[in-house]
Amino acid sequence: MTEDPATRVSRRFVLSGLAACGAGAAWAEAPLSSPRPVARAGLAGAPANAPVAADLIAAARLTGDVGYVVADAATGEVLEARGGDRPMPPASTAKVITSLYALAHLGAAHRFTTRLIAMGPVSGGRVEGDLVLAGGGDPELSTDDLGDMVAALAASGVREVSGRFLVWGGALPYLEAIDVSQPDWLGYNPAVSGLNLNFNRVNFVWKREGSGYNVGMDARAARFAPEVHSATVKVADRSGPIYTYQNGGSVEEWTVARAALGKEGSRWLPVRRPDLYAGDVFHTLARAQGVALAEPEVATAMPTGTVVAQRESRELVTILRDMMKYSTNMTAEAVGMAASLRRGASSHVASGREMAAWLGAEAGTTTARFADHSGLAGASRISAADMVQVLVRLGRGAGIQGLMKPVKFKDGKGRRVANPPVKAVAKTGTLNFVSTLAGYVTAPGERELAFAIFTGDIARRDAVPEAQRERPEGSRAWIGRSRRLQQDLIERWAAVYSA
């Protein structure tokens, strides 16, 4: 192995001894430490002009820490590392681990079921008792799905309900916000429960009319866009803050600063009462289909009765593929907590601990600490070495590569390269002054490498005032330089460690 002065390989996580055991050796018997590996003859043919990692890091001009590990994906042999032992925020690369965790405990074919339950007999188009919209933890349930359930209910002949209309979200532990340190208005930081809708976001729309604004909330999807009554918004004559929020119990109350609004627009805001939000939308859709319901109320226990309509989600593996593609935080929290329920964990905090414990037992990791399943919380930690260990020991066997996105390479002018000579798939992660990338590179000669690159200026991130956390000064440029470094490192490894 060729090593530049800034590249050090830790004795704790080098797995070079595995190569001597043969690629088929059981991971349970793989050594977790070995002497520092010597330079390899195979590197003698590496390009003479291959960039030096230390030079690439210096050119990136990143404040904070830079850590990375790259290993042979088949054997686990660490080829190059820098600061790989240091636990750092994984950001959304945590979703790689959440995906593996959910697949292991729920299975690739698992589906989440949302049910409409009649808690009394149905006679003459009337439910003699309560009707319950019961969530099953589906993270992808949409307004269109509720519209289809209403249509199925109406097609069965039901036109009225003698009792209450209840909503139940107890299939998963309730979480008011994924990360309480984030500002109230960020749509990617919503609540999570067993009954979720539209990723627990409501669409705020505004349009200038004369000297004022026409504002409203809707739950739009591809086919339906009903008005929402469980969340309201008012325009306030102030310059800041841009938004204020108050949970009024049955209604979530927002205000927005007039000075922040242009001529017209829309924005997704987070929902904190997803059960009542889903009930509100269902109630409106039912009325449009001629089905009379009372205003939604929250059920306190799991309902039993006759299922009169239901909706099954897509298979888990497909849900995870989209979660990795779009980095949906709510999906990660829902599937992670669903997996932890299988292990007996009944809270969000306990769920993070369970995922870390499972990872340690299955992959031999020692640095993992998870405050959530999405990576949104800056308190989560894992080292680049442990992330690579996960990719080698668990990822390839679970087919995690198929859930990752191809890495888009760019030229010196920032233009996308159509047919790059290097192929890579990975999961990105981004927080303020944190940028991460973890995945696999196929080097020339078809050698597969597993890698993790973690960069972060934690002190600078923690110093950002709450009002600036959506777009803090300097963060975008910092992340851009980190991403350039990530591409440069991948290209270096493909050149140096080809078969």
Side-chain angles (χ1 to χ4, degrees):
M1 184 185 73
T2 300
E3 191 176 49
D4 67 69
T7 304
R8 297 185 298 275
V9 181
S10 165
R11 295 175 184 268
R12 186 183 68 78
F13 60 81
V14 173
L15 305 177
S16 61
L18 183 62
C21 301
W27 267 112
E29 301 174 358
L32 295 180
S33 63
S34 69
R36 183 184 298 272
V38 298
R40 300 182 170 279
L43 295 183
N49 62 347
V52 178
D55 293 342
L56 297 176
I57 293 169
R61 297 178 291 107
L62 293 175
T63 57
D65 297 317
V66 175
Y68 66 77
V69 172
V70 60
D72 186 293
T75 66
E77 177 188 6
V78 172
L79 303 173
E80 187 173 308
R82 180 188 193 275
D85 272 336
R86 184 185 302 115
M88 295 181 68
S92 281
T93 62
K95 294 181 175 74
V96 173
I97 295 168
T98 299
S99 295
L100 294 168
Y101 184 59
L103 289 170
H105 290 86
L106 303 175
H110 178 80
R111 296 177 187 268
F112 300 90
T113 304
T114 305
R115 296 178 175 88
L116 200 58
I117 300 173
M119 299 182 70
V122 180
S123 177
R126 177 183 171 93
V127 175
E128 300 295 344
D130 296 337
L131 183 70
V132 186
L133 177 62
D138 184 357
E140 293 190 329
L141 188 71
S142 73
T143 296
D144 288 350
D145 296 323
L146 291 188
D148 292 340
M149 292 181 71
V150 167
L153 179 67
S156 72
V158 172
R159 287 293 178 269
E160 60 179 320
V161 175
S162 68
R164 299 168 297 173
F165 172 47
L166 302 175
V167 291
W168 184 70
L172 295 178
Y174 171 71
L175 184 66
E176 186 176 16
I178 298 171
D179 181 10
V180 295
S181 71
Q182 301 279 350
D184 287 333
W185 63 85
L186 297 179
Y188 54 74
N189 185 36
V192 185
S193 80
L195 179 57
N196 308 294
L197 183 67
N198 301 330
F199 301 105
N200 292 341
R201 301 176 307 170
V202 61
N203 190 48
F204 161 46
V205 294
W206 68 90
K207 185 174 182 179
R208 182 181 294 157
E209 291 187 354
S211 59
Y213 282 92
N214 182 17
V215 297
M217 299 282 206
D218 66 47
R220 65 183 56 199
R223 292 181 284 122
F224 299 98
E227 183 181 358
V228 167
H229 306 283
S230 55
T232 63
V233 62
K234 294 180 179 179
V235 178
D237 288 318
R238 63 171 187 262
S239 57
I242 297 177
Y243 294 98
T244 68
Y245 170 81
Q246 182 175 345
N247 188 339
S250 60
V251 177
E252 301 185 59
E253 300 168 352
W254 292 89
T255 72
V256 60
R258 181 184 300 273
L261 299 178
K263 182 178 180 181
E264 61 182 322
S266 66
R267 173 177 178 142
W268 290 101
L269 293 172
V271 166
R272 305 290 177 213
R273 290 302 307 271
D275 48 1
L276 289 175
Y277 172 53
D280 173 23
V281 172
F282 189 93
H283 182 273
T284 299
L285 294 171
R287 185 171 64 246
Q289 290 281 338
V291 180
L293 298 175
E295 293 294 324
E297 302 177 40
V298 176
T300 57
M302 183 173 67
T304 58
T306 303
V307 176
V308 292
Q310 69 178 35
R311 188 264 181 186
E312 286 197 342
S313 74
R314 300 184 298 169
E315 290 188 339
L316 176 63
V317 67
T318 306
I319 291 174
L320 294 176
R321 185 175 292 112
D322 274 4
M323 178 195 75
M324 295 274 276
K325 179 178 181 180
Y326 300 109
S327 210
T328 43
N329 295 323
M330 201 223 74
T331 300
E333 301 307 330
V335 301
M337 285 195 281
S340 287
L341 285 175
R342 298 289 178 93
R343 297 172 61 89
S346 57
S347 72
H348 189 254
V349 172
S351 185
R353 289 198 299 260
E354 282 298 316
M355 189 166 78
W358 170 82
L359 196 67
E362 295 296 319
T365 57
T366 61
T367 63
R369 184 177 81 244
F370 300 115
D372 59 23
H373 300 287
S374 60
L376 182 60
S380 293
R381 293 289 187 274
I382 190 170
S383 68
D386 274 350
M387 180 63 81
V388 168
Q389 198 153 285
V390 171
L391 294 174
V392 175
R393 295 189 177 192
L394 302 180
R396 297 175 82 236
I400 200 71
Q401 298 99 316
L403 303 184
M404 293 179 169
K405 292 168 56 177
V407 174
K408 297 178 180 179
F409 290 89
K410 296 182 179 180
D411 63 19
K413 296 183 178 181
R415 298 171 301 193
R416 184 177 176 183
V417 178
N419 295 297
V422 180
K423 303 294 183 183
V425 295
K427 180 71 189 80
T428 61
T430 305
L431 297 170
N432 292 333
F433 299 105
V434 172
S435 179
T436 59
L437 191 70
Y440 302 88
V441 179
T442 302
E446 299 304 309
R447 185 184 193 183
E448 189 176 37
L449 310 175
F451 73 91
I453 307 169
F454 290 169
T455 66
D457 188 336
I458 310 305
R460 196 171 177 185
R461 167 182 163 76
D462 291 346
V464 175
E466 180 177 351
Q468 298 178 18
R469 286 178 190 166
E470 188 170 17
R471 296 184 182 89
E473 182 179 355
S475 181
R476 182 175 179 179
W478 190 99
I479 289 167
R481 294 195 300 275
S482 175
R483 289 175 176 170
R484 180 70 246 182
L485 172 63
Q486 291 162 5
Q487 177 177 320
D488 289 344
L489 287 172
I490 290 172
E491 290 175 342
R492 165 187 158 77
W493 297 333
V496 175
Y497 302 113
S498 58

